[in-house]
Amino acid sequence: RPAGAVSAVRAGRHGWPSMLHVRMPRASAGGWPGPRTCGALKEKSGGDRARETDRVTWNRPADTKAKAAANAQRGSNSSKKVKVRTSPHFYRPKTKVQKRNPKYARVSVPGLNKMDKFRIVRFPLTTESAMKKIEDNNTLVFIVDVLSNKRQIKSAVRDLYGIEALKVNTLIRPDGQKKAYIKLKPDHDALDVANRIGII
């Protein structure tokens, strides 16, 4: 049996070969060549013209050998620097961000402020509890826009009725409307303001 032939094949559970045993010959024994050698048959020019196997190295061109020698020389003299990392995190490098330079305006007309004083204050409340707040606590009660905040309500009341608010408390009723309690400063009388507005 020639060198390198299959020596044994074991069948698995389903009939498939489970392991393939191959006997690899040694390069020095006249078998297959090693990793960096080429087995070449050279005919002797002598009398018996016998064939024999000899280990022959790969033939490299002259320029390839020169490049290999230059690389080896450069590698021995130069030292590669390793970046010292002080953090286990990797971040995206910061790149240059250009400022916007539009060729034309994306919006032709600037938008208007839709939350003005007439939208913020909708109407005053005239319920019994609101009247009691006016008489006892110097406080006016208004229904305001649900998106308005306390600073906007205070400014709208000052512009509409000329009164200064000491503080503003708000709540949202179960029906979804926002109610604002506006407590006036001591120099303003809530009853006089209510008469001027027309609540009473």
Side-chain angles (χ1 to χ4, degrees):
R1 191 164 51 188
V6 176
S7 63
V9 177
R10 296 180 185 174
R13 290 180 56 188
H14 305 289
W16 295 94
S18 61
M19 185 177 297
L20 191 63
H21 297 277
V22 179
R23 185 164 55 248
M24 299 296 292
R26 292 178 297 177
S28 61
W32 291 352
R36 298 292 295 176
T37 60
C38 174
L41 296 177
K42 298 199 303 181
E43 282 192 5
K44 286 189 175 182
S45 58
D48 58 352
R49 305 187 59 85
R51 288 176 174 270
E52 69 177 7
T53 305
D54 193 6
R55 305 180 71 181
V56 181
T57 57
W58 295 98
N59 295 325
R60 291 183 179 176
D63 57 346
T64 308
K65 289 183 179 179
K67 286 182 180 179
N71 290 336
Q73 183 69 19
R74 184 170 63 247
S76 62
N77 294 333
S78 63
S79 61
K80 184 178 179 181
K81 292 184 178 179
V82 179
K83 179 179 174 61
V84 178
R85 304 201 63 91
T86 58
S87 173
H89 304 289
F90 294 88
Y91 296 99
R92 179 181 56 83
K94 288 182 171 56
T95 56
K96 184 177 181 181
V97 179
Q98 298 281 359
K99 293 184 67 176
R100 294 199 174 189
N101 185 18
K103 304 304 177 190
Y104 64 93
R106 293 299 189 268
V107 181
S108 59
V109 178
L112 299 176
N113 183 19
K114 296 180 181 179
M115 187 66 73
D116 58 354
K117 57 186 178 181
F118 301 106
R119 177 182 170 182
I120 293 171
V121 178
R122 294 178 59 189
F123 55 88
L125 274 184
T126 57
T127 59
E128 291 183 5
S129 62
M131 293 296 119
K132 190 171 179 62
K133 290 283 185 184
I134 291 173
E135 296 170 0
D136 298 344
N137 301 330
N138 199 28
T139 301
L140 296 173
V141 185
F142 289 91
I143 295 295
V144 297
D145 191 272
V146 73
L147 297 178
S148 60
N149 55 36
K150 294 180 180 181
R151 288 184 295 273
Q152 291 172 337
I153 294 169
K154 192 173 183 179
S155 175
V157 169
R158 182 175 61 245
D159 294 342
L160 286 174
Y161 307 118
I163 54 178
E164 289 292 335
L166 183 64
K167 69 174 182 176
V168 177
N169 293 336
T170 59
L171 61 87
I172 294 180
R173 305 195 306 185
D175 60 354
Q177 293 180 324
K178 179 178 275 192
K179 182 163 63 173
Y181 296 94
I182 303 171
K183 184 174 181 60
L184 305 183
K185 289 185 176 180
D187 53 348
H188 292 86
D189 188 13
L191 198 59
D192 296 340
V193 175
N195 286 330
R196 183 156 48 93
I197 294 173
I199 297 175
I200 300 176

